[in-house]
Amino acid sequence: RTIVAAVTGMKIRVLAMWIRQETGAAASWEFRSGSTTAISGENMGGVGPILPQMVLPFSEVGWFETTAGAALTCAVGDGAIAGNIIYQEIP
């Protein structure tokens, strides 16, 4: 799924983020530059009373970024996820 649409000539740099598993089914997520190039490690969810989450606190240099002109996408496995992201567009 597309998180941030592509912008011609610009990179999308993730500055902060939180994401969590929304259902009891095991979920996985991986952020990508465009539809195929992984730019974050794959994070695996779990099953149980405490559902997994990941928090990346604000970093002015960013956590990861797309290549210029590519959308920021997220590949999601089974289950559902929710979250929030702070990003900037850079040349």
Side-chain angles (χ1 to χ4, degrees), residues 37-55:
T37 305
I39 55 176
S40 73
E42 183 176 15
N43 296 279
M44 301 301 292
V47 178
I50 300 174
L51 297 177
Q53 67 177 353
M54 179 174 65
V55 177

Side-chain angles (χ1 to χ4, degrees), residues 12-86:
I12 299 163
R13 179 178 290 164
V14 174
L15 302 175
M17 177 185 73
W18 71 266
I19 189 170
R20 71 173 180 221
Q21 183 176 322
E22 285 286 286
T23 64
S28 64
W29 55 85
E30 177 182 71
F31 287 91
R32 297 179 176 176
S33 177
S35 61
T36 59
T37 305
I39 55 176
S40 73
E42 183 176 15
N43 296 279
M44 301 301 292
V47 178
I50 300 174
L51 297 177
Q53 67 177 353
M54 179 174 65
V55 177
L56 298 177
F58 182 81
S59 169
E60 63 186 40
V61 296
W63 289 95
F64 48 84
E65 64 188 36
T66 66
T67 57
L72 176 64
T73 62
C74 185
V76 179
D78 294 337
I81 61 170
N84 200 350
I85 189 168
I86 298 171

